[in-house]
Structure formats: structure tokens, C-alpha cells
Amino acid sequence: MFKGKKYVESAKLIDKSVAYDPADAVKLVCDTSKAKFDETIELHVRLGVDSRHADQQVRGAVVLPHGTGKTVRTLVFAKGDRAKEAEAAGADYVGEADLVEKIQKENWFEFDVVIATPDMMGTIGRLGKVLGPKGLMPNPKAGTVTMDVAKAVQEAKAGKIEYRLDKTNIIHCPIGKASFGSEKLMDNFNTLMGAIIKAKPAAAKGQYIKSCVVASTMGPGIKVNAAKLG
């Protein structure tokens, strides 16, 4: 694989054989973010669970104290007073069957988070095949199926992120932008890691956090000492 000059320069700053303390890893990821745009910093955590088993699923949502640095576009499926509340809270799009049709017919995906009241789930159920693979289907565990749509919209805008295992038992999540600096990124890192640790399934055996890596969009991955994470 071809690696650009900036990537190669950044890689020289990292000792691949070392698992860094979390604060050192976060500082390094800022130092190695050399792209011309404001790179997203991501956290990748491999867990000692088996996502094929229902009792070993790890999934939830958490509001990052400093947000993600991304403008979040919210789509709310609600009607009546709940629709008015969503609009007042700053939802970008609010609707019912009309928006279901727009997504189905126009392949419209100009949104980042989908929120729905429980009574709307029957209406949007047929969107499962298109929203599911994109990780956009509303889910009670993530707080996106709720009667309190105003709170859900406000939290999404404030930087609420959903974390969940993929098929290889890894969680991938953004924790901010390189421009945040190491202090704010560390706050976000600690908040997300704390939520993942708290979500440890009772059925999980052995070492829970197998490995942890932080990386910028264009930069090399930096190993974090999993023993320091609980």
C-alpha cells in the first residue's frame, strides 16, 4: 500500500512496539495529525467478548463532553405535539410517512442521526434494510426511540455518539477533531472508555479490553496500554 510522505513522517514519531499510556497516546495522535484538513480522531477498541451471543453484546450511547466537532443533522419521525417539540429543539427534519417515502424513492440520506417516537416504529420498520446497515435505525438502547424527542435532538447536537460491536468484536468511534487538542480529546476518550467499561456484559469472561488504538483520519494507529483502562 502506498503511504504518503506525511504519513511516513508521522510514523517515525511512533514506536510500534510500545503500548502508550492513554494521555501520551492522545498527545501523540495530535502531534501526528498533519493533514491539511482538521482530521477526525478515532478510538478503536477490541473486546474479549463474542458478539454472536446475545448476552455478550456491547452497545450504548454517551454524550462526549466536548462533542465530536461535527455538525449533526437530525431526522425525527414524530407527529402532533412531539413533532412540534422536535422542531422547537432544532431538529433538521421532522415528518412521518412522507419522509419514509422520500428515503425509499429518492435514496435520500441527508442526515446523521434518526430519532423516533415508539408509535412511529411501525411506520419506519420497512426502512430497516436501508437504515440498519448504515447504523441509522432508531434503537431504544441508544436513546433514539423515545417520547422525549427534544432531549434526544439536543443530545445528538451536543455530541452524543453510539458505540456498538462490529462482527469482529471491535468498537469504532470518533472522539473529536485534531484541533480540539489533547486535553479535550482526553476528556472525550475517558468518557467513552468509561461507558464501554461500564457496559461490560456479565457473560464476558477473561480480559475484557483486548486492545485499544487511537488514530487520526490520515495518520498511523497508536496503541494504548489496555492494562491502564480497567
Side-chain angles (χ1 to χ4, degrees), residues 60-76:
V62 64
V63 178
L64 298 179
H66 303 290
T68 61
K70 182 182 176 186
T71 302
V72 178
R73 301 163 299 174
T74 52
L75 164 60
V76 179

Side-chain angles (χ1 to χ4, degrees), residues 39 77 123 141:
E39 294 182 65
F77 287 103
T123 304
K141 281 188 181 175

Side-chain angles (χ1 to χ4, degrees), residues 5 13 20 37 81 115 130 136 154 163 166 186 190 200 204 213 222:
K5 195 167 90 174
L13 300 173
Y20 292 89
F37 62 93
D81 289 342
I115 297 158
V130 290
L136 291 169
Q154 286 158 0
Y163 58 87
D166 67 8
M186 198 62 213
N190 286 333
K200 180 181 179 180
V213 171
I222 299 163

Side-chain angles (χ1 to χ4, degrees), residues 3-47:
K3 290 173 180 171
K5 195 167 90 174
K6 287 179 181 173
Y7 181 100
V8 173
E9 282 173 14
S10 295
K12 285 176 186 171
L13 300 173
I14 299 161
D15 186 340
K16 289 281 187 189
S17 65
V18 171
Y20 292 89
D21 280 355
D24 293 334
V26 169
K27 185 178 183 305
L28 257 179
V29 83
C30 289
D31 293 344
T32 54
S33 300
K34 297 183 182 296
K36 288 179 181 173
F37 62 93
D38 194 5
E39 294 182 65
T40 295
I41 307 301
E42 290 189 344
L43 176 62
H44 308 275
V45 187
R46 182 185 293 277
L47 298 181

Side-chain angles (χ1 to χ4, degrees), residues 22 43 175 185-195 197 229:
L43 176 62
I175 57 167
L185 285 169
M186 198 62 213
D187 285 345
N188 282 356
F189 174 95
N190 286 333
T191 299
L192 177 56
M193 282 306 307
I197 291 164
L229 300 172

Side-chain angles (χ1 to χ4, degrees), residues 85 89 115 143 146-157 160:
E85 287 167 17
I115 297 158
T146 176
M147 290 303 282
D148 195 348
V149 288
K151 183 185 175 190
V153 169
Q154 286 158 0
E155 286 185 341
K157 296 277 187 186
K160 185 176 188 177

